[in-house]
Amino acid sequence: MSAPAEIINTASNLAKNRLYHDCYHFMQSDNLQLPTIPDVAFKIRRAINDDRANNAKIARVVQIDPSITARLIKIANSPLYRGRRKIESCPEALTRIGLKAAQDIITSFAMKTVFLAKSPVIARKMTDLWAHSSYVAAISAVFAHKIPGFDPDKAMLAGLIHDIGVVPILTYADKHPEIINTPKDLVETVRNLRVDIGLQIIRKWDFPADFEDVIIHAENWYKHNDGPADYSDIVMIAQLHSYIGKVDVKKMPRIDELPSFKKLVQGHLDPDAGLSILDMAKDEIEHIRQMLK
């Protein structure tokens, strides 16, 4: 039996795609330039994981970066955490949010520094990638907030890193524009290497093991397993929701038909309520997107 034309065409295109071959070769030899976790996020994660640390000591580390301090206070007063009184200081914000949640939030805030490039074309693609990733992160956080058993801040970070494997590909293209013959070269390279490179990054960063499923299943719409719902389900549904109004609806599956959505709302919400939550939470979603900016 002969191979389908689509497979033959893909193989033919990849054979001529120098960007793909370079990125694949360097990935296999562990020499592809992977982004490093932002310095401020690394220092704060180290401080929070120090058994001798307390809120005051950790606050001193956080306050090294005034912009992150301001955004941490802002999210402590957001609908996700709003209490009876307004939070006005970093130690108070850490107390309200909790240290582990603050670790995920601060890492999310610092992540934007990874999405950088010099050439105008690739810089634009990095900007678009960040906009998409932060939108998925915001939807993930709000949806996780509505469903018991999920941490909104972990969901936000999971949404933010679901496409992190694209960053080294864009970085390499930024440094070697001469090897890209057609726009398809970049599209094909991303499609074929996004997952494997993404897994390398989160292992290098020592992120939670379940984030691997987030990267693997980000667009696996009909993923089905017998286990409980997890963060990969949250991020997948968030990503599909992010396409509303941007992608031809006829080309996308219906959210309420997906196994992941049914699993998430089972026992907590009926499907219609699950969809209305995302529609009604537009202000919350936009609030988080603005903070990530």
Side-chain angles (χ1 to χ4, degrees):
M1 182 186 295
S2 59
E6 183 180 350
I7 294 175
I8 293 173
N9 289 336
T10 300
S12 176
N13 290 338
L14 287 177
K16 297 178 287 188
N17 188 335
R18 287 183 58 197
L19 176 64
Y20 167 78
H21 285 288
D22 282 5
C23 289
Y24 179 80
H25 170 73
F26 287 122
M27 179 191 74
Q28 290 290 92
S29 60
D30 206 21
N31 288 318
L32 186 65
Q33 181 183 342
L34 303 181
T36 56
I37 191 167
D39 189 52
V40 64
F42 174 75
K43 288 178 179 177
I44 291 166
R45 289 172 76 88
R46 185 172 60 184
I48 287 174
N49 289 311
D50 184 346
D51 294 336
R52 298 166 296 176
N54 54 39
N55 275 21
K57 288 182 179 179
I58 293 167
R60 284 197 291 273
V61 177
V62 175
Q63 288 166 166
I64 292 172
D65 190 316
S67 68
I68 284 184
T69 302
R71 283 186 285 175
L72 193 66
I73 292 170
K74 193 172 181 181
I75 205 166
N77 289 306
S78 76
L80 290 178
Y81 286 100
R82 188 174 294 150
R84 294 180 183 177
R85 64 183 183 86
K86 185 178 180 180
I87 293 294
E88 296 183 345
S89 72
C90 185
E92 289 177 314
L94 289 171
T95 298
R96 175 172 288 180
I97 293 171
L99 295 182
K100 289 296 183 184
Q103 173 178 281
D104 289 338
I105 292 170
I106 292 165
T107 302
S108 297
F109 288 160
M111 282 283 291
K112 191 174 183 182
T113 59
V114 169
F115 293 71
L116 297 175
K118 293 181 179 179
S119 72
V121 172
I122 301 300
R124 179 69 241 172
K125 291 187 180 298
M126 282 288 199
T127 299
D128 291 345
L129 180 61
W130 173 257
H132 169 69
S133 298
S134 58
Y135 189 23
V136 172
I139 299 170
S140 297
V142 170
F143 201 40
H145 183 58
K146 309 295 183 183
I147 299 177
F150 289 96
D151 178 347
D153 308 300
K154 183 174 179 179
M156 179 169 67
L157 184 55
L160 208 55
I161 59 89
H162 79 277
D163 262 343
I164 193 67
V166 181
V167 172
I169 297 170
L170 292 178
T171 300
Y172 193 85
D174 188 42
K175 293 181 177 179
H176 304 277
E178 74 284 353
I179 68 172
I180 302 176
N181 295 318
T182 71
K184 281 186 177 180
D185 288 355
L186 188 53
V187 173
E188 289 166 351
T189 303
V190 166
R191 184 188 300 123
N192 286 277
L193 298 181
R194 177 191 69 82
V195 170
D196 289 337
I197 294 174
L199 294 176
Q200 282 192 344
I201 294 170
I202 62 167
R203 288 165 186 166
K204 175 185 175 184
W205 288 0
D206 196 26
F207 273 13
D210 55 351
F211 275 24
E212 294 191 14
D213 282 339
V214 169
I215 288 175
I216 293 168
H217 297 296
E219 295 182 2
N220 182 12
W221 308 126
Y222 293 100
K223 165 200 167 191
H224 182 73
N225 58 41
D226 295 329
D230 57 29
Y231 287 94
S232 70
D233 296 307
I234 289 271
V235 172
M236 184 211 301
I237 297 303
Q239 177 157 229
L240 188 56
H241 193 76
S242 77
Y243 290 146
I244 294 175
K246 299 176 182 178
V247 177
D248 184 353
V249 68
K250 295 178 182 177
K251 296 180 179 179
M252 305 304 296
R254 283 174 50 98
I255 289 180
D256 56 352
E257 292 179 349
L258 300 189
S260 289
F261 183 80
K262 293 176 181 178
K263 188 184 293 188
L264 284 166
V265 300
Q266 188 176 27
H268 305 300
L269 305 165
D270 65 63
D272 290 337
L275 288 171
S276 63
I277 278 176
L278 292 172
D279 289 333
M280 290 188 297
K282 289 177 182 176
D283 288 344
E284 288 180 60
I285 291 169
E286 185 58 27
H287 182 76
I288 296 173
R289 287 183 77 184
Q290 292 302 318
M291 283 191 292
L292 287 171
K293 286 183 180 179

